[in-house]
Amino acid sequence: MEEKVTGKRFFAVTLLNILITIVEIVGGALSGSLALLSDAFHNLGDSLSIVLGYFAQHIGGHPENRQRTYGYRRAEILAALTNGTLLVIISLFLIVEAIKRLQHPQHINGGIMLTVAIIGLVANFVSALLLHAGSKDSLNVKATYLHVLSDALSSVAVIIGGLILTFVNVPWLDPVLTIGVAIYISFEAWPIILQTVKILMQSSPDLDYDAIEHDLKQIDGVTAVHHIHAWMMDEHRIIFSAHLNCDDLPLSQVERIYSQVEQILHEKYGICHVTIQAEYHRGRDEELFNTPVDEKNVINSNFQSK
């Protein structure tokens, strides 16, 4: 069951991130640490992402209507894509700045860096706990959760760097830590971007279509299956449509076939929304994913007109 993250939790996480940002900007300026300043801007971006994530979750809960017959669930997917992309952009910015700092090393105050990083770690850990509940059920919340988690990792890296720099002057350590954290952030964000793009492009979900065809043809009265379409509204809801060739049956018996089809697809394949078109001879020779002849003619005529 999908577990929603409440508005109070989103607000608490946003407030914590804003406070962390202020503390890290001051601490980064005083200590001269690029890692702290980078993490401060990262947290500022997180605050915006968390707000975006909350409103996307709120919009996604709106019911279906005439303008959005499938509802508003894609709002959360768009927010997840925005958050993931923002993480990668921030990471690239951090890497570029860190390379510049490697070329022109600066003295770092390890004590200030260490103190501020510990404060950031505690705040990020609390934020991660608040968001953890919904991170397994929503790509949107997961993207926001990863924002906070990556900040916590950044704080750990900065703490280690602060400990070392308190006792040893290693000018290259701060930018190296920044690059390492940025690579980790990108590594975590990239799968979210790929999955959201896949959903928005209405790519086919990972289903065994040959098994589906076999199971449906085992239903008494079904002779063939063709013209299958399957796509995802979000990371949970799979939409499926197909044409079934059936025996010449009364509508009352066809409805029983529909019920069996829906039960098989829901229980065995996790498909939540099914649309079936029953046919007798029409399309019997088509393949599972074959484009109907009339659609092909329309496509060809469009290309020829251009």
Side-chain angles (χ1 to χ4, degrees), residues 10 23 31 38 58 65 70 76 79 121 125 163 169-170 172-173 179 199 228 237-238 260 273 281 290 305-306:
F10 270 113
V23 171
S31 66
S38 299
H58 178 69
N65 55 38
Y70 277 112
E76 293 195 58
L121 176 63
F125 182 70
L163 281 171
N169 184 24
V170 188
W172 51 264
L173 181 59
I179 292 173
I199 292 173
I228 281 180
R237 300 175 64 194
I238 299 176
Q260 294 179 65
H273 185 89
H281 285 301
N290 205 28
S305 65
K306 293 179 181 180

Side-chain angles (χ1 to χ4, degrees), residues 7-278:
K8 289 182 179 179
R9 291 193 177 191
F10 270 113
F11 177 76
V13 172
T14 303
L15 186 61
L16 280 171
N17 270 268
I18 292 173
L19 291 174
I20 296 169
T21 299
I22 295 172
V23 171
E24 287 187 334
I25 288 176
V26 174
L30 293 176
S31 66
S33 171
L34 174 64
L36 272 181
L37 287 174
S38 299
D39 201 37
F41 287 110
H42 188 188
N43 274 295
L44 181 61
D46 285 354
S47 300
L48 298 175
S49 298
I50 292 166
V51 172
L52 178 63
Y54 169 70
F55 281 109
Q57 180 175 279
H58 178 69
I59 293 171
H62 287 179
E64 301 167 358
N65 55 38
R66 290 176 180 269
Q67 288 74 36
R68 300 287 185 273
T69 57
Y70 277 112
Y72 292 79
R73 297 295 295 271
R74 284 281 173 88
E76 293 195 58
I77 301 303
L78 288 170
L81 176 61
T82 302
N83 284 345
T85 304
L86 184 60
L87 279 171
V88 172
I89 292 173
I90 290 172
S91 299
L92 293 175
F93 172 77
L94 295 182
I95 290 173
V96 170
E97 292 301 311
I99 292 174
K100 292 179 181 178
R101 182 65 67 89
L102 280 173
Q103 296 171 344
H104 305 283
Q106 298 181 16
H107 174 71
I108 306 297
N109 187 316
I112 296 177
M113 179 180 175
L114 177 62
T115 302
V116 174
I118 292 174
I119 296 173
L121 176 63
V122 173
N124 281 312
F125 182 70
V126 173
S127 297
L129 286 177
L130 291 172
L131 292 172
H132 178 71
S135 64
K136 296 180 181 179
D137 299 308
S138 168
L139 275 177
N140 171 43
V141 178
K142 183 179 180 181
T144 307
Y145 173 72
L146 284 176
H147 269 283
V148 175
L149 201 61
S150 65
D151 280 338
L153 181 69
S154 300
S155 298
V156 171
V158 176
I159 287 173
I160 295 173
L163 281 171
I164 295 173
L165 290 171
T166 300
F167 302 102
V168 182
N169 184 24
V170 188
W172 51 264
L173 181 59
D174 184 66
V176 167
L177 286 173
T178 302
I179 292 173
V181 171
I183 292 174
Y184 169 78
I185 294 171
S186 298
F187 179 78
E188 290 294 325
W190 191 244
I192 292 178
I193 294 175
L194 292 180
Q195 190 172 358
T196 52
V197 169
K198 180 180 178 181
I199 292 173
L200 292 172
M201 290 297 294
Q202 304 208 150
S203 301
S204 299
D206 187 15
L207 298 172
D208 189 339
Y209 296 99
D210 292 331
I212 290 176
E213 179 186 21
H214 176 268
D215 289 342
L216 297 187
K217 288 171 69 174
Q218 298 305 304
I219 298 174
D220 188 28
V222 177
T223 58
V225 182
H226 64 98
H227 200 181
I228 281 180
H229 291 284
W231 66 99
M232 301 182 71
M233 286 304 301
D234 54 29
E235 68 270 35
H236 301 294
R237 300 175 64 194
I238 299 176
I239 313 298
F240 181 91
S241 68
H243 292 207
L244 299 184
N245 290 109
C246 301
D247 295 335
D248 193 2
L249 301 169
L251 184 60
S252 59
Q253 294 184 35
V254 173
E255 284 187 353
R256 295 193 189 100
I257 291 176
Y258 282 3
S259 297
Q260 294 179 65
V261 170
E262 290 174 350
Q263 183 177 1
I264 290 172
L265 294 177
H266 177 70
E267 295 180 356
K268 190 171 182 180
Y269 300 98
I271 296 171
C272 69
H273 185 89
V274 179
T275 302
I276 301 297
Q277 178 173 317

